[in-house]
Amino acid sequence: MRCPRCDANVTDTRTTCNFCGQDLSVIHYAVRVSNTYYNLGLQKAKVRDLSGATVILKKSLQFNKTNTDARNLLGLVYYEMGETVAALSEWILSKYFQEKDNLADYFLDTAQKNKTALDAINQTLKKYNAALSAAKAGNEDLAIIQLRKVVNLNPRFIRAQQLLGLLYIHSGDLQKAAKCLNKARKIDFTNTRTLCYLNEISQEVEKVRASSSPAKLVKKDPMANVKPVGSYSEEKKSMMPAVYTIIGAVIGIIVCFVLIRPTLTQSGLGGGSQIADANNEAAVQSSQISNLERQNESLTKEIESLKKKIADGDTQAQNNLKFYERLAKASRLYTDNDKVGAAVELAGLKKSNFTTDEAKALFAKISVISSTEIESLINRARDQVNVNAAASLSLMKKVIKLDGDNQRAMLWLGRSYELTGDKTKAKKWYKKAIKLGATTEAGGQARRYLDAM
């Protein structure tokens, strides 16, 4: 034991420091209280009251932060609850306070030797955070997809099971919610949040039973639809099983060559993570497409409503109809992965042109294109201007609509006009580029092209 005043090493039985005379009775009291809380926490952990054990063990460490037994047990509790990062933190602190003869060495070696498990933990945390962000943003479908992957990677991750159960409750799928929450309860039997969610499910079930008529609650006879068996007749031989076998073999060979063989030929271990990232990206895109399709349905209804108002003589509705038709067209282009075309279609419009919240949200999502993407389009037009000037011209017209003050866009739009034979428009755009800045690289190049003409 260390003296709190002079930091001298004192035996555990001493009540005063040999060097400075400091009273150590309070230190002994704090150690006894810490050990008492540790014993209580151990009892709770043995009966799988993990959340209760966490609270008690934290109290133990408040009285004696160097209680390595309490830290090691708290790390084990965290690990059992799927909180691997918190568990590793407690074991590392325990190792700091007691370097030798510490069980934390075994826990850390076991966790760190398994690189695959550490990678899975890293992926689990990333997916959980992504799911949490998606749930907060209202994108529950994507959050459920991510959380299902999380619980497959780490079935003992209680927070993921609870969040997945909560999303299922919100979507009305009480059976799946109860399944997730019961899995969490098996790990931590008295977790307050899990019990609260299960109680919510019970209340919803009671409401459904109360609102249902007694006739609906009567169980049906399971033998009611069973029909008597007819007279025996020998089944005729058929060639279809053999045909199905051959078709299955052909499909298996195709799957091997198309899916399995490229995976096996990838070098290193990076292929698996790339496939996982590709699957995640595909899931995200699928969710985004489904959201856009729902918003398109809402737009279609709004357009039909505006057409009806126009038929009734509403002139304002006629103007709004044009805006909504352009938004619907842009949404279709965005769904077809033509982000540039979608942004160009909405160029010149404002969020205030739309009245519904869904239309405003859709406009904000697909009307914005980053400066990096614009620069990429300009570079693509520059690379193909001498090969296909017409395609470059079409592309640069879109860019100018998106960013009318871009000097490089003006330069390559003028060059595209020059190579397609329209000298007048080429000079016009060269002069505009020079006017924005004759000393820049784009302005100097525009000057050289203009002088050459």
Side-chain angles (χ1 to χ4, degrees):
M1 184 172 60
R2 292 281 182 179
C3 174
R5 176 185 291 179
C6 63
D7 198 33
N9 198 358
V10 185
T11 59
D12 293 339
T13 57
R14 296 287 300 178
T15 57
T16 58
C17 178
N18 297 332
F19 299 93
C20 65
Q22 173 68 32
D23 184 13
L24 301 178
S25 59
V26 176
I27 305 298
H28 286 293
Y29 173 76
V31 170
R32 289 197 302 271
V33 173
S34 177
N35 291 335
T36 302
Y37 276 123
Y38 164 72
N39 292 330
L40 292 173
L42 181 60
Q43 291 176 6
K44 287 183 175 291
K46 285 182 178 179
V47 296
R48 303 205 72 81
D49 182 6
L50 301 186
S51 54
T54 302
V55 175
I56 296 298
L57 291 171
K58 285 182 177 179
K59 283 183 175 291
S60 174
L61 293 174
Q62 286 177 358
F63 281 92
N64 182 14
K65 67 179 180 181
T66 63
N67 191 341
T68 54
D69 290 334
R71 283 202 183 275
N72 292 339
L73 180 57
L74 181 58
L76 284 174
V77 171
Y78 278 138
Y79 191 82
E80 185 68 10
M81 295 170 68
E83 304 286 349
T84 311
V85 176
L88 292 173
S89 301
E90 294 298 333
W91 292 333
I92 290 171
L93 285 172
S94 175
K95 177 68 176 174
Y96 172 77
F97 289 121
Q98 181 182 340
E99 295 183 1
K100 296 180 181 179
D101 299 329
N102 193 337
L103 281 174
D105 292 330
Y106 171 76
F107 300 144
L108 289 171
D109 290 341
T110 303
Q112 293 174 354
K113 281 180 181 178
N114 193 345
K115 299 296 183 182
T116 304
L118 288 177
D119 292 338
I121 291 167
N122 189 29
Q123 290 292 327
T124 298
L125 294 176
K126 288 182 179 179
K127 293 179 188 298
Y128 176 79
N129 291 331
L132 185 60
S133 300
K136 288 180 178 179
N139 197 346
E140 295 182 1
D141 294 337
L142 178 58
I144 289 174
I145 292 172
Q146 295 287 359
L147 287 172
R148 288 173 64 182
K149 294 179 181 179
V150 170
V151 297
N152 285 334
L153 288 171
N154 188 3
R156 312 190 77 80
F157 195 0
I158 291 181
R159 281 195 294 169
Q161 296 281 14
Q162 289 172 339
L163 181 56
L164 182 58
L166 180 62
L167 291 174
Y168 278 137
I169 292 173
H170 193 263
S171 62
D173 198 339
L174 300 182
Q175 186 175 2
K176 290 183 178 179
K179 185 177 180 180
C180 294
L181 295 172
N182 283 325
K183 287 181 180 179
R185 194 182 180 193
K186 288 179 181 179
I187 301 168
D188 185 5
F189 192 74
T190 59
N191 189 285
T192 306
R193 184 172 297 174
T194 303
L195 296 176
C196 179
Y197 292 164
L198 286 171
N199 183 47
E200 184 71 23
I201 292 175
S202 300
Q203 291 179 1
E204 290 295 328
V205 171
E206 290 298 328
K207 288 180 182 178
V208 172
R209 287 180 177 176
S211 61
S212 301
S213 60
K216 291 183 179 180
L217 297 177
V218 177
K219 292 185 178 179
K220 295 182 179 180
D221 182 7
M223 302 299 292
N225 295 326
V226 179
K227 296 180 180 179
V229 180
S231 59
Y232 170 78
S233 61
E234 186 175 355
E235 185 179 358
K236 295 181 180 180
K237 293 183 178 180
S238 173
M239 292 296 293
M240 293 310 295
V243 173
Y244 291 149
T245 303
I246 295 171
I247 293 174
V250 172
I251 293 174
I253 294 171
I254 293 173
V255 169
C256 287
F257 275 94
V258 174
L259 299 179
I260 301 175
R261 188 170 177 272
T263 304
L264 295 177
T265 55
Q266 289 180 347
S267 60
L269 298 175
S273 61
Q274 291 175 358
I275 292 172
D277 293 340
N279 290 336
N280 292 339
E281 186 177 354
V284 172
Q285 290 179 352
S286 176
S287 177
Q288 290 177 346
I289 289 173
S290 63
N291 288 336
L292 286 172
E293 288 175 350
R294 288 196 297 269
Q295 290 170 335
N296 273 334
E297 292 179 2
S298 176
L299 283 177
T300 303
K301 293 178 181 178
E302 184 68 21
I303 290 172
E304 293 298 327
S305 174
L306 290 172
K307 287 182 178 178
K308 186 176 180 180
K309 290 181 180 180
I310 291 172
D312 295 337
D314 192 339
T315 55
Q316 181 63 32
Q318 188 171 2
N319 295 328
N320 292 338
L321 178 61
K322 296 178 182 178
F323 300 146
Y324 278 90
E325 286 177 341
R326 288 176 63 180
L327 182 59
K329 183 179 178 181
S331 178
R332 288 193 294 271
L333 292 172
Y334 191 90
T335 305
D336 295 336
N337 207 24
D338 186 4
K339 295 182 180 180
V340 178
V344 170
E345 184 64 34
L346 296 177
L349 295 183
K350 299 179 181 178
K351 188 185 289 189
S352 58
N353 294 133
F354 305 97
T355 55
T356 63
D357 293 335
E358 288 189 358
K360 290 179 179 179
L362 183 60
F363 173 80
K365 182 175 184 179
I366 66 180
S367 64
V368 178
I369 186 167
S370 66
S371 57
T372 304
E373 291 175 312
I374 289 177
E375 289 299 319
S376 177
L377 294 173
I378 295 172
N379 292 333
R380 195 170 78 187
R382 177 199 62 194
D383 294 339
Q384 68 180 3
V385 67
N386 294 319
V387 180
N388 190 348
S392 175
L393 178 63
S394 175
L395 185 59
M396 295 315 299
K397 284 181 178 179
K398 294 180 180 179
V399 173
I400 285 293
K401 285 185 178 180
L402 297 174
D403 188 0
D405 295 328
N406 193 304
Q407 190 180 34
R408 293 185 70 232
M410 295 176 181
L411 166 65
W412 295 112
L413 179 60
R415 183 63 174 168
S416 301
Y417 272 126
E418 181 182 355
L419 294 179
T420 54
D422 195 338
K423 306 291 184 181
T424 303
K425 290 185 178 180
K427 291 179 181 179
K428 170 188 171 184
W429 286 105
Y430 284 149
K431 289 177 180 179
K432 285 188 175 184
I434 295 169
K435 187 176 180 181
L436 284 180
T439 58
T440 62
E441 182 181 352
Q445 196 165 358
R447 170 59 64 186
R448 289 191 292 274
Y449 284 144
L450 184 60
D451 293 342
M453 289 177 62

